[in-house]
Amino acid sequence: LAKTTQPISMDSYEGQEVNITCSHNNIATNDYITWYQQFPSQGPRFIIQGYKTKVTNEVASLFIPADRKSSTLSLPRVSLSDTAVYYCLVGDPMDTGRRALTFGSGTRLQVQP
Amino acid sequence: DTGVSQDPRHKITKRGQNVTFRCDPISEHNRLYWYRQTLGQGPEFLTYFQNEAQLEKSRLLSDRFSAERPKGSFSTLEIQRTEQGDSAMYLCASSVQGTLNTEAFFGQGTRLTVV
């Protein structure tokens, strides 16, 4: 399993761009990088997934350097409602087992007014 | 609304009692996962089904825990002789096999309190 390392917590203010970096030095060739968001008392919610370079959707952008040993989730112009825990997962989506959905401790993002 | 339903949302039980939770996944999803989450921690994998077959179980799943997914549809997680350490949020998730997308849809969870 590719181990992931994220900051335990981050603080930001409304309107700022937030970048959360995840390290995954042992990422395998078939592994994808997936980010989930979790609000208190709710299940995690898929945000974005990528394999290399840059992926963007309506919620966030994901930057992956050429060596793929890290990735950065970018949240543009955060609001108070972005306060949540963000999880970085690394795994092979074609894997038939649990490997693709192993959560770490995540990064707690607190957005201040 | 993610489409994955869990019942009940909350359960308070006395130590030593048995409890059963139900998960109804999104109908066309053939993969189903159970996780346990305690305060301040990420979800911990418990077990995984592909259709009706239970393909993997975590070491966290002691012999007091059992999960089923009859006919590959809904799933149940039973905890026998509950202990205070079983108090946690139990999450169910479902996904589709064979797609290059690990997007799993989670339910709201069942919060278990053992007193």
Side-chain angles (χ1 to χ4, degrees):
Chain A
L1 288 174
K3 179 179 171 57
T4 60
T5 303
Q6 306 175 231
I8 293 173
S9 64
M10 296 183 67
D11 293 311
S12 183
Y13 292 95
E14 283 191 291
Q16 290 190 332
E17 178 184 77
V18 171
N19 296 311
I20 306 175
T21 297
C22 178
S23 297
H24 27 79
N25 291 320
N26 296 324
I27 190 169
T29 302
N30 294 333
D31 285 345
Y32 280 64
I33 300 147
T34 310
W35 286 79
Y36 280 79
Q37 174 192 56
Q38 186 177 26
F39 298 112
S41 299
Q42 293 188 25
R45 182 176 71 107
F46 173 92
I47 300 176
I48 196 166
Q49 181 185 70
Y51 183 79
K52 61 181 180 180
T53 62
K54 177 184 175 182
V55 179
T56 297
N57 62 22
E58 65 279 3
V59 177
S61 294
L62 179 59
F63 298 93
I64 306 168
D67 66 6
R68 305 202 323 123
K69 292 183 183 300
S70 67
S71 59
T72 299
L73 175 73
S74 181
L75 306 172
R77 296 180 299 282
V78 295
S79 65
L80 295 176
S81 63
D82 293 314
T83 295
V85 179
Y86 293 82
Y87 296 96
C88 165
L89 282 69
V90 172
D92 180 354
M94 300 301 286
D95 196 313
T96 56
R98 66 175 166 104
R99 189 170 177 270
L101 283 175
T102 299
F103 289 80
S105 297
T107 298
R108 298 181 180 280
L109 172 65
Q110 180 69 50
V111 180
Q112 307 279 2
Chain B
D1 184 4
T2 63
V4 176
S5 300
Q6 291 189 246
D7 183 69
R9 291 291 310 279
H10 303 274
K11 178 71 176 179
I12 299 174
T13 190
K14 292 184 178 180
R15 190 174 52 186
Q17 297 295 305
N18 299 343
V19 294
T20 300
F21 309 140
R22 177 181 171 121
C23 171
D24 287 274
I26 294 173
S27 59
E28 63 268 23
H29 286 187
N30 57 358
R31 291 182 173 183
L32 188 147
Y33 301 82
W34 283 98
Y35 288 81
R36 181 175 71 183
Q37 186 173 28
T38 54
L39 196 63
Q41 301 298 315
E44 297 174 290
F45 170 80
L46 292 178
T47 190
Y48 155 71
F49 290 85
Q50 184 162 305
N51 300 312
E52 66 276 10
Q54 188 174 19
L55 296 187
E56 189 168 359
K57 294 192 293 185
S58 165
R59 288 170 297 180
L60 292 173
L61 216 64
S62 73
D63 57 4
R64 297 185 297 106
F65 289 71
S66 63
E68 295 182 342
R69 194 185 181 194
K71 304 178 182 178
S73 56
F74 72 93
S75 176
T76 58
L77 178 69
E78 181 183 17
I79 309 174
Q80 295 181 329
R81 305 181 302 283
T82 53
E83 302 172 356
Q84 287 188 321
D86 297 329
S87 295
M89 175 77 83
Y90 290 84
L91 293 162
C92 175
S94 69
S95 67
V96 178
Q97 178 203 3
T99 59
L100 281 176
N101 186 341
T102 50
E103 179 174 5
F105 293 83
F106 281 81
Q108 298 268 46
T110 294
R111 182 168 295 283
L112 173 66
T113 302
V114 181
V115 297

